[in-house]
Amino acid sequence: MGTEHSKNEERRSMVFLRKGPKLPAWEDALLAGREPKSLLKRGLRYVSLSLIMKGMTSTPDFLWGLHEVQKLNLSRNQLVMIPPSLGKLDRLVVLNLGGNCLKCLPKEIGLLRNLKVLFVNMNCLKEVPAELSLCRKLEVLSLSHNCISQLPLSFSDLTSLRKLNLSNNRFVQIPLCIFALRSLDFLHLGSNKLENIAESIQYLVNLQIFIVENNNIRSLPRSLCYLSTLELLNADYNAIQTLPDDLYMLRRLRRIAWNPMDKGLHIAHNPLSRPLPEVVEGGLDVLFNYLRDKKEHN
């Protein structure tokens, strides 16, 4: 009788354990006596580790001993800081820290000399360490949805950077260091506090996508018209009243675009002076012809 009772109790305990909260992957591995390295996935290109949505408020210590990892995803947790030990993972190529509660990044991030892709979007950053400019191989950087108002001048050293997302921050003007990033083909500055676009925008000679929607911009500079590679210019939701006469030089803009995902010229929801609103409704060819004629008669 006692034996049967014991078996029933054991069954109930097992059921309770099965119904309890699931252990995070790394704790499960360690409790089972497995090496943390067993969590690494070896793909065709990268050795990767994903600890996405694990409810972490701090990083596990074993992480900094995984020197082989090249792609690390710590996104969508509740991390409040990343320790200096991050610098030990010097083989990292891709690092995703998005969707946490980070207020700063360690200066040791500059030791990640192989880093090509960095996401720190949707955090609480107010500044970015100057040491990030030591990551000279960086090609993609997202700092969107933070509280950043300026960038270090040393950012001009990130000459390999091709895609930069600074949307939903607190920039009042485009940081000067950005105009030195001649490899940029994507620049997103939407939902900031910009009041103008500096004439220096002309130096971004490879820019294909330029987004400045939802700011306080009053006019587009003439120098913007020299960006012959531009395929998408989104200036929706600003305070623009007039357009530069040379806008027709942007020949890769194929149409007036209304869908946010479409390439072309986005100029909706601006207080354009007449007759521009009616001209814009006629399409891009009509707009360009109007601006060309206007320039010739001035």
Side-chain angles (χ1 to χ4, degrees):
M1 183 76 175
T3 304
E4 186 65 29
H5 177 74
S6 297
K7 287 182 178 179
N8 289 336
E9 286 294 320
E10 186 176 347
R11 288 193 198 100
R12 278 197 290 270
S13 297
M14 291 177 69
V15 169
F16 175 77
L17 285 172
R18 280 198 295 267
K19 289 183 178 179
K22 189 177 180 181
L23 288 169
W26 67 93
E27 289 184 13
D28 194 18
L30 295 177
L31 287 175
R34 286 156 52 202
E35 277 284 324
K37 286 187 178 181
S38 67
L39 298 173
L40 296 176
K41 292 185 179 180
R42 301 179 185 275
L44 293 175
R45 294 186 63 191
Y46 300 124
V47 176
S48 62
L49 173 62
S50 178
L51 297 177
I52 182 174
M53 293 182 68
K54 301 298 182 184
M56 297 186 299
T57 55
S58 61
T59 51
D61 290 339
F62 77 79
L63 181 60
W64 315 118
L66 301 178
H67 302 294
E68 300 167 75
V69 68
Q70 296 169 288
K71 187 176 180 180
L72 177 61
N73 192 342
L74 300 176
S75 65
R76 300 175 69 183
N77 283 287
Q78 287 112 45
L79 300 174
V80 295
M81 61 91 68
I82 299 293
S85 303
L86 173 67
K88 295 179 180 180
L89 303 183
D90 55 4
R91 295 186 187 179
L92 276 180
V93 177
V94 180
L95 175 59
N96 191 342
L97 301 172
N100 280 286
C101 307
L102 302 175
K103 293 183 178 179
C104 62
L105 294 173
K107 64 181 182 180
E108 286 77 10
I109 199 168
L111 299 175
L112 307 182
R113 303 298 169 86
N114 291 302
L115 198 63
K116 290 185 177 181
V117 178
L118 175 61
F119 286 93
V120 204
N121 52 300
M122 300 183 72
N123 276 279
C124 306
L125 299 182
K126 291 185 177 180
E127 58 183 13
V128 184
E131 288 78 8
L132 183 57
S133 61
L134 298 174
C135 301
R136 303 291 170 81
K137 294 183 180 180
L138 199 62
E139 296 179 5
V140 178
L141 174 60
S142 178
L143 295 168
S144 70
H145 293 84
N146 278 284
C147 304
I148 305 167
S149 59
Q150 57 186 0
L151 294 177
L153 287 175
S154 60
F155 255 50
S156 59
D157 294 332
L158 294 175
T159 53
S160 297
L161 200 62
R162 294 187 299 107
K163 302 186 187 303
L164 177 60
N165 191 338
L166 297 173
S167 63
N168 289 274
N169 275 285
R170 298 179 180 175
F171 291 99
V172 176
Q173 60 184 8
I174 301 177
L176 290 175
C177 57
I178 289 181
F179 301 125
L181 306 179
R182 306 297 166 83
S183 296
L184 275 187
D185 58 43
F186 176 99
L187 177 58
H188 195 339
L189 280 157
S191 298
N192 276 281
K193 299 180 179 181
L194 301 180
E195 295 185 355
N196 61 70
I197 299 171
E199 294 285 348
S200 301
I201 193 70
Q202 65 184 307
Y203 297 126
L204 301 183
V205 293
N206 290 299
L207 201 60
Q208 297 176 24
I209 296 177
F210 184 37
I211 303 173
V212 286
E213 64 175 346
N214 196 28
N215 279 283
N216 301 311
I217 298 168
R218 295 184 175 87
S219 64
L220 299 177
R222 184 173 183 270
S223 62
L224 184 66
C225 305
Y226 301 144
L227 299 181
S228 59
T229 56
L230 210 57
E231 297 178 0
L232 189 157
L233 171 58
N234 190 339
D236 285 347
Y237 294 98
N238 275 283
I240 298 169
Q241 295 185 21
T242 61
L243 296 175
D245 292 345
D246 291 326
L247 198 65
Y248 65 87
M249 294 169 61
L250 298 177
R251 295 182 177 88
R252 292 200 182 183
L253 295 180
R254 299 298 185 188
R255 56 184 168 180
I256 300 290
W258 304 100
N259 187 317
M261 303 302 292
D262 288 344
K263 289 185 177 180
L265 173 63
H266 296 253
I267 198 66
H269 304 286
N270 280 282
L272 295 173
S273 58
R274 294 188 179 280
L276 281 175
E278 292 80 8
V279 173
V280 167
E281 287 184 7
L284 195 63
D285 288 341
V286 173
L287 173 62
F288 281 0
N289 287 333
Y290 168 79
L291 293 173
R292 191 183 290 110
D293 291 343
K294 182 170 174 279
K295 180 182 178 183
E296 289 175 358
H297 289 90
N298 281 346

